[in-house]
Amino acid sequence: MTGAGAVYYALADANNFYASCERSFNPALWSVPVIVLSNNDGCVIARSNEAKALGIGMGTPYWEVREVIRKNQVRVYSSNYQLYGDMSERLMNILQAHCADMEVYSIDEAFLKLQPFHGSEAQLMVDMVKLRETVMRSTGIPVSIGLAPTKTLAKLANHLAKKEGIQGVYFLSPGAEVLAGIPVEKVWGVAGGYKKRLAKIGVETALQLSRVPKEWMQQEFGVVGVRLLKELQGFPALGLEPPVTARKNVMVSRSFRKDVYALPELIEAVSVYATRLGEKLRRYNQAAGQITVFLMANPFRNLRPDGRGYFSRTIELPLATSHTNELITWASRAVQFLFEAGTNYKKAGILAERLRPDNAIQGNLFVPGQGREKLQALMQACDELNRRMGSNTVYFASCGHVQKQAWARREQWASPRYTTRWEEILVVGV
Amino acid sequence: MNTEQGSNGGGTIVPVIPMSVLDVELPLYLSVLAGFPSPADDYLEERLSLDKYLIKHPDSTFFVKVEGLSMVGAGIYPDDILIVDRSLEAKPGDVIVAVLDGEFTVKRLVKKSGRYALQPENPDYKLIPLDENAVFTVWGVVTNVIHKPYEL
């Protein structure tokens, strides 16, 4: 299993990524508790270790921890996705420069596939410690690296690296004693249903799971179960996933700052979401063949007598499109259809499906096709202006006045977009 | 259309397209399709890029704006933009962005008789020795300064 000639997987995962991004540009945050809130400053989505130690849970609504925050002077930030996105790109590029065989697993974690030419197990450990230092020095982001013969074990190794790794790196070999201390549900791919069925035969730890007879796994969980067993035993059954080149759907959804009761405001909001949707589609040269518009009532204070909270309408577009004006037109129609006076709406969104390359849109006999090149050029011009001069330099009037959108999300504690806006770069007193 | 009308004797009129219309003449190009070929075609090079010239490691390079006067001797003035490479190891003599006691500063890293210090480049400011008690981190190494000359 080990020694020369073996393939290893490393999972590099940034520690408390969003909080670490904030820290990278602000030394005042280096040793104090920091949290980052979701869109609309609703819930806690990232916590520094100090904030975790205060018992602030992942996903906790902000108002629930307001007292803890005040008492312990926790530093609070609204999410700054412009910054996190750019820092993620930097992190991934640095990791990929070390090992070209990489799978970006999420905004802050990636699998590396290390071949025999990368060196022995001992050499890999040294390299991973060095890689971690390179990332830290280059970006200020601490990462933990789990190293193992399979992806599933690497995931567990990463978990251990965060807890007890030497310099943030942990090597996990199959059958290691430490697996006896890991409950089965921590194993990648073990869902709730699995746990119950495993408990019936007395399997509660990762180590016990790795010793279950293959036949039983086959019978109980099929191919997926056998694959899981193999992975835990150190035989790679999962390779790197190829990068997603064409997405199947795109969604833009956000909750409102406060409940919305009026149709014009809803149309304004959905027009803005349609604008974002168009931008996203065009960035990947895709066009949507179908959109679904949904509205949600405030779940904590639903004013409707029937208590319904979710309303949606799907529209099959006569001609696939990525043009903002067309998306706004269709989305607004859906909102007009769905709107009911007396409902307090809290959230809206648009899901685009049946995506296709925008150079392969099938014509429609009943829809005039001419003039679309002009529209395409107009959209390109808008995108270019917004890219160069900041978003919302030009936008459609149905979005209302950008500064007067009463429903728009609140970002009370946003940090500067240090790496994407000249007017917001880091200022240093000299 | 320039058609001839032929008769087959039965009174029915059948339009006939003359050969001259069907015979499409292909144009004969004696020269190239559009104008003259560029004599530079074989020598195309990419235009100079300031980004590529100034930024060796894009993934670890950040821009930082300056406030204050302690580094004017090094040509660093208020509102200048520093290009900072965080991947570089700081050596004595480098101008660095450092974090000292929880605050950012820009100074020259010097080593005098075996001891490190942060040296301002302005006689009005004092040398900052880095003793064991200093809480000090190198944030990045300044590789270039972007300065507008008329603002001096």
Side-chain angles (χ1 to χ4, degrees), chain A residues 254-415:
Chain A
R254 261 164 236 178
S255 46
F256 309 132
R257 187 162 71 86
K258 52 186 186 184
D259 290 3
V260 166
Y261 295 85
L263 181 61
E265 275 193 313
L266 270 185
I267 290 181
E268 228 177 74
V270 170
S271 298
V272 171
Y273 300 172
T275 305
R276 292 288 100 78
L277 182 68
E279 287 168 356
K280 269 176 147 175
L281 288 168
R282 293 194 294 274
R283 201 183 316 146
Y284 294 94
N285 299 315
Q286 287 181 310
Q290 177 181 303
I291 59 168
T292 299
V293 176
F294 64 86
L295 304 175
M296 282 161 82
N298 190 338
F300 297 110
R301 199 177 65 94
N302 194 331
L303 298 181
R304 289 174 62 93
D306 63 358
R308 279 182 62 209
Y310 182 85
F311 316 88
S312 79
R313 179 81 170 161
T314 297
I315 298 175
E316 203 178 310
L317 302 179
L319 211 54
T321 186
S322 63
H323 300 155
T324 301
N325 56 335
E326 291 178 335
L327 292 169
I328 288 179
T329 305
W330 292 111
S332 308
R333 271 188 214 178
V335 171
Q336 276 164 357
F337 173 85
L338 291 172
F339 176 77
E340 286 177 56
T343 306
N344 52 332
Y345 297 101
K346 183 62 186 167
K347 189 175 184 173
I350 312 173
L351 172 71
E353 287 172 294
R354 300 225 204 144
L355 305 188
R356 56 204 77 176
D358 66 2
N359 57 3
I361 296 169
Q362 200 157 37
N364 184 326
L365 194 58
F366 305 102
V367 178
Q370 61 266 56
R372 293 188 70 81
E373 291 82 12
K374 267 187 169 175
L375 256 180
Q376 191 80 22
L378 173 68
M379 286 300 120
Q380 271 169 12
C382 290
D383 288 343
E384 188 61 25
L385 278 171
N386 287 334
R387 194 158 40 229
R388 275 199 290 192
M389 306 174 69
S391 57
N392 292 330
T393 300
V394 284
Y395 56 92
F396 282 83
S398 52
C399 300
H401 192 299
V402 156
Q403 261 110 51
K404 290 179 191 152
Q405 292 157 345
W407 49 270
R409 78 184 226 205
R410 181 173 42 191
E411 288 164 320
Q412 225 173 314
W413 303 289
S415 56

Side-chain angles (χ1 to χ4, degrees), chain A residues 23-30 83 86-87 89-94 97 134 136-141 418-419 422-423 425-430, chain B residues 57-71 76 81-82 86-89 97 99 102-107 125 137-139 146:
Chain A
R23 279 185 165 170
S24 182
F25 295 89
N26 189 350
L29 306 178
W30 285 3
L83 178 66
D86 180 67
M87 293 304 280
E89 205 177 300
R90 289 166 185 262
L91 166 68
M92 296 306 169
N93 286 344
I94 294 167
T134 304
M136 182 67 195
R137 194 171 60 216
S138 304
T139 63
I141 306 288
Y418 298 108
T419 60
W422 283 113
E423 63 278 16
I425 62 173
L426 183 65
V427 178
V428 167
V430 171
Chain B
H57 307 113
D59 294 315
S60 56
T61 297
F62 298 86
F63 304 125
V64 171
K65 192 175 229 169
V66 172
E67 236 172 36
L69 296 164
S70 77
M71 291 299 282
I76 298 175
I81 289 170
L82 307 178
R86 297 193 63 178
S87 71
L88 300 176
E89 198 116 29
V97 176
V99 177
E103 298 230 15
F104 278 120
T105 184
V106 177
K107 295 286 178 288
Y125 292 76
T137 316
V138 177
W139 193 83
I146 302 174

